[in-house]
């Protein structure tokens, strides 16, 4: 009788155990993290500035300019219309 009841219990439990898939744990985090440093802890830093000064004054060059500004682009406009046709 004991053998039959143990086989019956084993038959009922084994499909339930075999069907379970391992579950992955999802980590949970607190909404707020507080880091408490000791009162004796001292963080020191020093501000370093660059040596010298920056120059922001612009003086235009003296003499004639080497760039000639064009007032019309007729030749290029005719070429571009010829390409569109």
């Amino acid at each position: 009788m004991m053998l039959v009841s143990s086989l019956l219990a084993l038959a009922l439990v084994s499909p339930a155990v075999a069907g379970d898939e391992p579950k992955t744990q999802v980590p949970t985090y607190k909404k707020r993290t507080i880091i408490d440093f000791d009162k004796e802890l001292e963080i020191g830093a020093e501000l370093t500035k660059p040596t010298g000064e920056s120059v922001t004054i612009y003086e235009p060059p003296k003499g004639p300019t080497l760039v000639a500004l064009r007032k019309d682009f007729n030749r290029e406009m005719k070429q571009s219309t010829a390409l569109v046709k």
Side-chain angles (χ1 to χ4, degrees):
M1 183 73 171
M2 183 125 168
L3 180 64
V4 174
S5 62
S6 62
L7 286 176
L8 182 62
L10 183 62
L12 293 175
V13 173
S14 62
V17 172
D20 289 342
E21 295 180 12
K23 295 180 181 178
T24 58
Q25 284 186 328
V26 178
T28 57
Y29 300 103
K30 296 179 182 178
K31 286 187 177 182
R32 185 181 219 188
T33 303
I34 299 173
I35 301 172
D36 186 22
F37 293 103
D38 295 331
K39 292 182 179 180
E40 297 174 3
L41 181 67
E42 186 175 323
I43 299 173
E46 189 174 313
L47 179 64
T48 57
K49 294 182 180 180
T51 58
E53 296 180 19
S54 61
V55 178
T56 57
I57 299 172
Y58 172 75
E59 292 184 19
K62 296 179 176 129
T65 178
L66 300 175
V67 178
L69 297 177
R70 291 178 57 185
K71 296 189 181 192
D72 60 5
F73 292 88
N74 292 336
R75 183 175 30 157
E76 287 82 1
M77 291 298 287
K78 286 180 184 176
Q79 288 176 353
S80 67
T81 56
L83 293 174
V84 173
K85 291 181 183 179

